[in-house]
Amino acid sequence: MKKRILDLAIAYRRKSFIRVAYRTFATLFPFVLIGIWIQIINTNLLQPDGFLYNVLYLANWTSTTWLRPLRLVATFIQNILLGFIGIYVVYLAAYYTAQLYQRAKQLAGVTGIVVMLMASYQASNRTGNFYSSLNWRMLSLQNLLLSLAIGYLIGQVFRWLSPATSATHNPHTLEIQSRAQWNLKPIIVSLIIGIVLGVGMNLANYFAISDSVVTALSDWGAGDSHFIIKLLVMMLISLLQWLGLYDPTSTWFTTGDSAEWNANLSYVLSHHSMYHVPYPLSGVELYSSYAVFGGVGCTLALLIAFVLVSRRLENLRVARWNMIPVLFNNSGAFFIGLPVILNPIFLLAMIIIPAINMLIAAGAVMIHLIPTPVFDYPNGTPTFLVSFIGTNGNWASVIFAILLFCLDIIMYLPVVRIYIEMQNEIIKLDLKEDQQ
């Protein structure tokens, strides 16, 4: 069974789209890592609703005179590194796809950028005045898979419509000019694709399709729906994160925005008791407290499992550099650096482990082993303090969360071992290819 899983995973890993995706992630990782660190400093330390800002009482001994410019600089760097991630991804995906088939890789990458900008271009005249802008959501981490797909598609267009190029490391101007002229056909076809994508995205935006889907998921996950529905929505979040279609810092599901949460909080404040609240199985609060250790899919447990099992320096570097970000529930760089996104070895574990946590937590709440979290917490609160703050300092909840976390590490250990075996086999195959 294990050998069968390894064989399937290796065959999947050798697919051209996956090879392009992983090469893109490897190139982007340093920039995403720096952006994530800046984002943590900005949201946790510099913003008034941040965890470290409140814990350190910065408002009492600092001045907004110098905090404001720091926020502006941090936001600027964060937006440049993470806000335009779709453009970087589409360029690299088109570049590596064209390179795979020995086509004009630089031209493919630039064409990919143009197509991506055309797809994200928004035009509107709802107010009677025409205006245009870019759909920034399309360029964010939330649409990583879409950017990859567009870049890969453009690379394939160059594969089929462009002549093969020689492996000249330092081509002269005339050679570059000749390549550009010979690639006019794939560029025109790519621009037509960009127009089609742009029209489609504008129609989707006009009919608010994306917003309707997000609103529906938010209502099911954070509203007054049945606990099983909420559990399924949370499992869907893990799937979307694995696909690269969910921003790990997204605010789709937050505490304090449902009738259930308001009713529970009113009960606790009036009865001075955390138990016997009207809605004990409040999905978002249980999910945030016991199923998001380090991010979607219990990322901190996965990271610790790698530290315990892996001996490969590249894996340990990714784990060490992401320890602090993941501790503050920001797993974006870890998901790209390993990578976890589009990695079939981690798919089932990412979906099942948080679901197991929620079911165990729900059972513990129903037998009054732990109370239902009802209090909101500052933005960027570290993993194990979410349940502590949410239950107003209930130590049983913290101990319960730590035990769940240990269980998560145990469940991730065999998954990580399989991944390391697959990684070693891939390296052997790559060495054989290099020797041929």
Side-chain angles (χ1 to χ4, degrees):
M1 179 64 180
K2 182 179 178 182
K3 186 178 184 304
R4 178 63 175 165
I5 294 174
L6 276 173
D7 290 342
L8 290 174
I10 291 172
Y12 170 87
R13 174 65 176 77
R14 304 297 290 176
K15 299 293 183 182
S16 61
F17 178 77
I18 301 304
R19 294 173 70 182
V20 167
Y22 286 7
R23 291 176 185 184
T24 299
F25 295 156
T27 305
L28 276 180
F29 172 67
F31 302 97
V32 176
L33 179 67
I34 295 171
I36 292 297
W37 272 92
I38 296 296
Q39 188 177 57
I40 289 173
I41 294 172
N42 188 21
T43 57
N44 284 269
L45 184 63
L46 302 180
Q47 300 296 333
D49 61 344
F51 174 77
L52 293 177
Y53 184 96
N54 287 277
V55 168
L56 299 175
Y57 297 100
L58 289 185
N60 295 339
W61 56 274
T62 59
S63 170
T64 56
T65 303
W66 63 270
L67 273 181
R68 188 179 293 112
L70 287 178
R71 290 170 189 161
L72 290 174
V73 172
T75 302
F76 164 73
I77 299 174
Q78 172 187 322
N79 289 341
I80 293 297
L81 292 176
L82 301 179
F84 295 92
I85 196 75
I87 294 177
Y88 313 144
V89 168
V90 77
Y91 174 84
L92 291 170
Y95 179 97
Y96 285 126
T97 304
Q99 183 185 63
L100 204 60
Y101 300 104
Q102 297 180 343
R103 298 301 188 267
K105 51 192 178 184
Q106 292 92 347
L107 274 174
V110 174
T111 305
I113 292 177
V114 175
V115 172
M116 189 66 183
L117 291 174
M118 293 174 73
S120 61
Y121 184 85
Q122 285 185 328
S124 176
N125 62 349
R126 290 183 181 180
T127 59
N129 297 318
F130 178 83
Y131 72 92
S132 60
S133 63
L134 291 178
N135 184 348
W136 297 108
R137 186 186 298 174
M138 275 193 63
L139 304 179
S140 68
L141 283 171
Q142 187 173 326
N143 282 290
L144 198 63
L145 181 61
L146 178 61
S147 303
L148 275 172
I150 292 176
Y152 181 75
L153 175 61
I154 300 307
Q156 289 294 333
V157 170
F158 273 76
R159 172 194 177 186
W160 294 110
L161 300 179
S162 172
T165 58
S166 59
T168 305
H169 295 290
N170 190 23
H172 297 288
T173 302
L174 287 177
E175 185 178 349
I176 296 173
Q177 187 180 40
S178 177
R179 287 183 186 179
Q181 293 171 356
W182 277 105
N183 284 281
L184 191 59
K185 184 188 296 183
I187 291 175
I188 292 174
V189 172
S190 298
L191 294 180
I192 294 173
I193 293 174
I195 293 171
V196 173
L197 288 173
V199 171
M201 293 299 176
N202 273 274
L203 288 175
N205 180 64
Y206 179 81
F207 292 106
I209 295 175
S210 177
D211 292 338
S212 299
V213 172
V214 172
T215 301
L217 289 175
S218 299
D219 290 341
W220 292 338
D224 305 326
S225 54
H226 193 275
F227 175 75
I228 298 300
I229 300 297
K230 294 177 180 178
L231 180 64
L232 293 174
V233 171
M234 303 310 170
M235 293 173 71
L236 177 61
I237 291 176
S238 297
L239 175 61
L240 292 175
Q241 174 70 58
W242 181 85
L243 287 170
L245 290 174
Y246 179 77
D247 188 344
T249 62
S250 174
T251 55
W252 280 16
F253 307 105
T254 56
T255 57
D257 60 355
S258 69
E260 286 187 0
W261 180 84
N262 286 309
N264 287 345
L265 182 61
S266 298
Y267 180 91
V268 170
L269 294 177
S270 59
H271 292 80
H272 305 288
S273 172
M274 296 290 298
Y275 298 92
H276 306 290
V277 293
Y279 301 98
L281 301 182
S282 182
V284 176
E285 285 71 29
L286 289 179
Y287 180 73
S288 301
S289 300
Y290 304 112
V292 193
F293 295 133
V296 175
C298 299
T299 313
L300 184 59
L302 175 60
L303 187 150
I304 297 299
F306 262 97
V307 172
L308 294 175
V309 174
S310 180
R311 295 296 177 266
R312 185 167 294 279
L313 183 59
E314 292 81 4
N315 293 338
L316 293 177
R317 280 175 181 163
V318 172
R320 288 199 303 266
W321 293 343
N322 282 282
M323 184 68 73
I324 298 300
V326 170
L327 189 63
F328 284 97
N329 298 317
N330 196 323
S331 57
F334 183 72
F335 269 73
I336 289 176
L338 198 57
V340 177
I341 296 174
L342 298 177
N343 196 322
I345 299 296
F346 302 117
L347 174 58
L348 286 179
M350 275 190 62
I351 295 174
I352 293 174
I353 290 177
I356 292 174
N357 283 14
M358 284 193 68
L359 290 172
I360 295 175
V365 167
M366 294 308 293
I367 64 174
H368 304 301
L369 182 64
I370 57 173
T372 300
V374 298
F375 292 100
D376 203 359
Y377 49 88
N379 189 23
T381 299
T383 292
F384 298 110
L385 293 179
V386 172
S387 59
F388 183 74
I389 297 174
T391 56
N392 196 29
N394 185 281
W395 284 102
S397 297
V398 178
I399 296 172
F400 179 79
I402 294 173
L403 292 175
L404 265 185
F405 176 68
C406 293
L407 176 63
D408 295 343
I409 295 176
I410 293 172
M411 288 189 287
Y412 263 124
L413 285 175
V415 178
V416 171
R417 291 192 179 99
I418 292 175
Y419 172 76
I420 291 173
E421 289 187 37
M422 183 200 74
Q423 193 177 43
N424 292 334
E425 291 298 322
I426 291 292
I427 292 173
K428 290 179 183 177
L429 289 174
D430 290 341
L431 288 176
K432 286 182 180 178
E433 286 185 359
D434 292 341
Q435 292 171 359
Q436 292 176 355

